[in-house]
């Protein structure tokens, strides 16, 4: 085993999944490490990790192990939000929030179950979401101002927020889904043609031949024309960031249209 791969596997085995019956499978451990490197390299603003009972402390120990081995350098921030943890590239995450706040039309897609078909959020819905994003941006700014080490952490109370939308923006998606909170997680995407975008790259830094999925998100095909500008900006920004880093090679951006009997958000 190559040295980075040994470190990655040991860190996942020893730090993640405490109290669970099964540790992370090897393929998932390699993928997670690749995603951490993608965040650190500025290829995406954040990754979402279901940390279970371990909370932020578990993910913090794991990230520290990678950093001790020389992987994932630079400033990182761990954000706890209603039982989940996000690992953020602080500067990129703030810029992503700022871009979403400035964008017109707002890149939020209303897929509430009561709708016949997806549509961009109306002015009132978009303004409410902007309020949530502005609150999160203020939280991250205050946290960054008082951060003392290379890895900081904080928790935010997302009461009243549409987490699907906020997390979608943080993860760097060019457009994020939104739905009426009173409808739970139900949506109108069943059997709707969705264009699924996938981004992969090779990460020889961890292991030769390792392909890491950096992005995977969908946009209703019927909204792609209206969202052409944010999609183009996302694609251009990703290519620019890719050319500025050295951990990944062979960037592939692909898309396909699918229709599914049910879509979970």
């Amino acid at each position: 085993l190559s040295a980075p791969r040994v470190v990655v596997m040991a860190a996942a085995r020893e730090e993640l999944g405490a109290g669970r019956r099964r540790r992370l499978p090897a393929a998932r451990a390699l993928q997670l490490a690749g995603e951490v490197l993608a965040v650190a390299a500025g290829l995406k603003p954040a990754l979402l990790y279901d940390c279970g009972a371990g909370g932020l402390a578990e993910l913090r120990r794991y990230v520290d192990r990678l950093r001790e081995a020389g992987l994932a350098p630079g400033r990182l921030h761990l954000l706890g939000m209603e039982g989940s943890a996000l690992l953020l590239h602080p500067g990129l995450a703030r810029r992503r929030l700022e871009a979403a706040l400035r964008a017109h039309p707002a890149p939020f897609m209303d897929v509430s179950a009561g709708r016949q078909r997806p549509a961009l959020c109306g002015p009132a819905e978009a303004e409410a979401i902007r309020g949530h994003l502005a609150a999160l941006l203020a939280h991250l700014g205050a946290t960054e101002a008082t951060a003392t080490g290379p890895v900081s952490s904080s928790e935010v109370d997302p009461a009243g927020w549409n987490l699907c939308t906020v997390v979608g923006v943080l993860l760097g998606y060019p457009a994020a889904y939104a739905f009426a909170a009173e409808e739970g997680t139900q949506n109108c995407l069943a059997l709707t043609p969705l264009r699924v975008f996938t981004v992969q790259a090779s990460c020889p830094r961890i292991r030769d031949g390792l392909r890491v999925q950096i992005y995977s998100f969908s946009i209703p095909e019927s909204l792609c024309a209206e969202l052409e500008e944010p999609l183009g900006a996302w694609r251009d920004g990703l290519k620019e960031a890719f050319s500025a880093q050295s951990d990944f090679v062979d960037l592939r951006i692909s898309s396909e249209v699918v229709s599914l009997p049910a879509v979970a958000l």
Side-chain angles (χ1 to χ4, degrees):
L1 294 179
S2 64
R5 186 184 177 191
V6 170
V7 169
V8 163
M9 299 304 294
R13 183 177 63 250
E14 295 165 14
E15 307 298 348
L16 299 178
R20 300 178 191 173
R21 287 187 176 182
R22 296 180 67 248
R23 299 292 185 178
L24 279 183
R28 179 65 190 124
L30 292 171
Q31 168 67 25
L32 178 60
E35 288 189 68
V36 171
L37 262 65
V39 171
L43 296 181
K44 64 181 191 176
L47 70 83
L48 177 65
Y49 177 67
D50 179 10
C51 50
L56 287 180
E58 176 179 295
L59 187 57
R60 175 68 177 263
R61 291 193 302 270
Y62 171 73
V63 171
D64 285 344
R65 289 283 296 274
L66 297 186
R67 292 175 61 85
E68 287 168 5
L71 302 172
R75 279 278 300 123
L76 294 171
H77 182 73
L78 295 163
L79 178 68
M81 190 158 44
E82 207 168 80
S84 293
L86 291 109
L87 177 68
L88 308 183
H89 182 294
L92 188 54
R94 291 199 310 275
R95 291 194 296 274
R96 181 70 192 97
L97 289 168
E98 290 165 351
L101 287 169
R102 290 193 308 266
H104 290 282
F108 314 132
M109 303 172 289
D110 186 352
V111 294
S112 299
R115 298 193 61 85
Q116 284 191 317
R117 63 183 65 85
L120 293 184
C121 286
E125 294 86 354
E127 196 57 33
I129 293 169
R130 286 194 181 101
H132 306 156
L133 298 180
L136 179 56
L137 181 60
H139 171 87
L140 292 178
T143 301
E144 191 69 8
T146 58
T148 56
V151 181
S152 53
S153 64
S154 66
E155 297 208 32
V156 66
D157 179 8
W161 295 3
N162 190 321
L163 280 182
C164 178
T165 316
V166 173
V167 170
V169 172
L170 270 183
L171 292 178
Y173 301 161
Y177 287 123
F179 47 82
E182 60 271 17
E183 295 180 2
T185 58
Q186 300 298 310
N187 59 67
C188 65
L189 294 178
L191 301 179
T192 297
L194 302 175
R195 183 162 292 278
V196 179
F197 293 83
T198 304
V199 176
Q200 291 189 339
S202 295
C203 187
R205 181 82 184 277
I206 295 176
R207 189 193 71 185
D208 286 340
L210 175 65
R211 296 292 293 175
V212 175
Q213 181 170 285
I214 299 173
Y215 280 98
S216 180
F217 61 87
S218 67
I219 290 178
E221 181 73 354
S222 61
L223 296 181
C224 283
E226 289 181 85
L227 293 168
E228 183 177 357
E229 185 173 337
L231 272 168
W234 165 78
R235 190 179 288 108
D236 292 344
L238 176 60
K239 290 178 179 178
E240 182 178 347
F242 197 84
S243 67
Q245 57 79 50
S246 57
D247 288 335
F248 295 85
V249 297
D250 190 22
L251 178 69
R252 302 283 178 89
I253 304 173
S254 61
S255 72
E256 63 174 339
V257 177
V258 302
S259 296
L260 303 171
V263 178
L265 298 178

